[in-house]
DNA sequence: TTATAGTTTAACCAATTGGTCAAAGTTAGA
DNA sequence: TCTAACTTTGACCAATTGGTTAAACTATAA
């Protein structure tokens, strides 16, 4: 009979959590296995017992963080609601997620840029064909009225997501510039206000397009 | 009499160029001194003869790349022209620069995020007080008419620059998504088209704001 | 209780990495 | 030509890093 493993799940969880923090903060290249072991409160050899190599441990963490970034957002994009509602819901949900995980954007952008193989894992998380169907349906139902041509859809989509994601990637520079420019609010309240600003900005730009 | 150094300038240039390429591509942590030496076609010890350490070599490269990112853009921001003209000129110039240096955004964002001390060097490149004056002048002259409150200026500025910079930071993901969504154009022509799209988008959103 | 499989550790290892050094080569002024 | 400063190199070094191993420990089924 197969023996039940005792508390390896606890240990594995501890390692996974520590690795997530370190990798997300420092990136793959600057992360140290020893530091991950220390933060998990275990021996370095135990890392390799549960996750064979740094690459494997990283791949596990990366997949989870990729999911954290896209899962909820994708479900919003798939909803059958008006574009205006969708925009508002998107900024609300995505900015909430990113406030809780402010290092996520830069981490993902960076690792994907430095290791193209990771892109393969994305295909499973992002369901392209479904996404394309939803986008095209919304285009012919609503967006075409706004004078958006099919070929401009990528421009529009990149615009929308960049308004939510970019401030987090540029967080440190923004913090410094904001305090230099006499801004007293902190970054998080700036991002809270951005939910409404971005929604209004996008919707206004769309509704008043020259057709 | 002090002897004139012979061709150390050529060598120094070669090293600097190689270091710029490697650092920009891989970031500080993943860059290897040996690889820089190889690309420069010289001995590794010579790196340390001209630039004492990896940190110092990196700092030199970083300053130059920071300048490349901001110098021209800042001069556009400082111009005394209408907001509409300024927006158009900004996207034209900045996107041109970034097409020539597509790794610049992710490199700068990442290194600044990982090494807060680098932010100090930014203060020299970014003239805050001048910048603030120009922005406030343009606000009271033009932007206030659009219903933009002073407190919303940071929101507006971040929106404008994110539309130009973010696509480059997300270049790899975008490339993949675009080909999955049936986009046949390449990334550069997408960014060329973005000059006009972004200008129109921002200007339309501003001109039609509810006040 | 005991055999067995799973878990944890300390000590160790080979490879890599940033950096050094002494010696050889090169340049140009006296 | 000779010397003194600058340039370049190959060999080397200490520290770090990802990874291994054998032994000790723990839980549990029989």
């Amino acid at each position: 009979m197969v023996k039940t493993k005792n508390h390896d799940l606890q240990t594995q969880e501890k390692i996974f959590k520590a690795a997530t923090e370190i990798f997300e903060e420092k990136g793959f290249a600057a992360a140290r296995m020893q530091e991950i072991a220390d933060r998990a409160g275990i021996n370095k050899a135990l890392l390799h017992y549960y996750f064979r190599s740094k690459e494997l441990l990283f791949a596990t963490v990366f997949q989870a963080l990729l999911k954290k970034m896209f899962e909820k957002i994708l479900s919003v994009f798939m909803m059958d609601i008006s574009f205006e509602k969708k925009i508002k819901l998107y900024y609300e949900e995505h900015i909430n997620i990113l406030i809780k995980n402010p290092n996520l954007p830069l981490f993902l952008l960076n690792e994907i840029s430095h290791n193209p193989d990771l892109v393969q894992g994305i295909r499973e998380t992002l369901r392209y064909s479904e996404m394309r169907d939803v986008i095209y349906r919304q285009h012919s139902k609503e967006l075409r009225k706004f004078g958006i041509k099919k070929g401009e859809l990528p421009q529009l989509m990149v615009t929308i997501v960049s308004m939510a994601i970019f401030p987090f990637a540029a967080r440190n520079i923004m913090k410094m510039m904001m305090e230099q420019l006499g801004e007293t609010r902190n970054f998080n309240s700036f991002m809270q206000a951005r939910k409404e600003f971005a929604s209004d900005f996008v919707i206004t730009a769309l509704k008043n397009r020259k057709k």
Side-chain angles (χ1 to χ4, degrees), chain A:
Chain A
M1 189 173 272
V2 179
K3 293 216 174 167
T4 50
K5 307 174 180 182
N6 23 331
H7 39 190
D8 61 313
L9 257 182
Q10 293 170 42
T11 306
Q12 198 164 335
E13 283 298 319
K14 277 196 302 183
I15 295 174
F16 180 79
K17 198 185 158 202
T20 300
E21 290 172 11
I22 303 276
F23 278 133
E24 195 177 341
E25 191 183 308
K26 309 202 164 186
F28 177 81
R32 298 288 163 246
M33 294 297 268
Q34 186 60 60
E35 196 180 355
I36 293 172
D38 290 346
R39 183 164 309 194
I42 50 115
N43 190 285
K44 188 175 62 127
L46 207 51
L47 287 185
H48 292 87
Y49 177 75
Y50 282 100
F51 304 86
R52 199 187 315 275
S53 67
K54 189 185 182 186
E55 273 77 13
L56 242 51
L57 176 54
F58 177 81
T60 310
V61 168
F62 180 84
Q63 285 301 327
L65 290 179
L66 195 72
K67 222 175 166 182
K68 199 182 259 178
M69 180 76 166
F70 285 112
E71 202 170 44
K72 198 160 197 175
I73 304 319
L74 238 62
S75 77
V76 170
F77 260 100
M78 298 298 185
M79 290 172 89
D80 187 23
I81 53 179
S82 76
F83 188 75
E84 188 163 341
K85 276 187 187 164
K86 195 178 278 192
I87 289 292
K88 283 179 178 165
L89 192 56
Y90 163 72
Y91 284 121
E92 177 68 31
E93 297 288 344
H94 206 179
I95 288 176
N96 278 347
I97 291 172
L98 294 180
I99 283 176
K100 283 182 207 146
N101 306 275
N103 292 323
L104 210 43
L106 210 40
F107 168 81
L108 291 176
L109 290 171
N110 217 34
E111 298 303 333
I112 290 169
S113 159
H114 287 30
N115 186 353
D117 292 343
L118 290 171
V119 175
Q120 299 308 324
I122 293 183
R123 293 198 211 282
E124 296 166 28
T125 306
L126 274 60
R127 310 304 290 171
Y128 288 111
S129 54
E130 299 171 42
M131 229 172 83
R132 195 190 52 215
D133 291 349
V134 173
I135 291 164
Y136 285 165
R137 198 180 316 137
Q138 194 134 38
H139 173 254
S140 47
K141 231 201 293 179
E142 280 186 87
L143 296 176
R144 198 151 48 185
K145 291 180 205 154
F146 296 143
I148 295 280
K149 294 170 205 150
K150 224 177 171 185
E152 285 174 318
L153 282 175
Q155 295 283 1
L156 179 60
M157 288 169 59
V158 171
T159 299
I160 292 166
V161 300
S162 71
M163 285 185 72
I165 299 175
F166 180 79
F168 287 96
R171 196 158 109 262
N172 279 13
I173 308 173
M174 280 195 58
K175 278 180 177 172
M176 187 196 56
M177 292 183 91
M178 281 169 69
E179 78 181 36
Q180 289 289 331
L181 293 175
E183 265 291 325
T184 52
R185 284 177 305 175
N186 64 27
F187 180 78
N188 279 359
S189 67
F190 174 87
M191 289 311 302
Q192 288 294 348
R194 192 157 182 80
K195 292 175 181 176
E196 198 188 340
F197 181 90
S199 302
D200 291 350
F201 198 89
V202 170
I203 290 165
T204 305
L206 278 184
K207 284 192 174 170
N208 297 281
R209 265 184 139 241
K210 51 172 186 263
K211 288 150 200 169

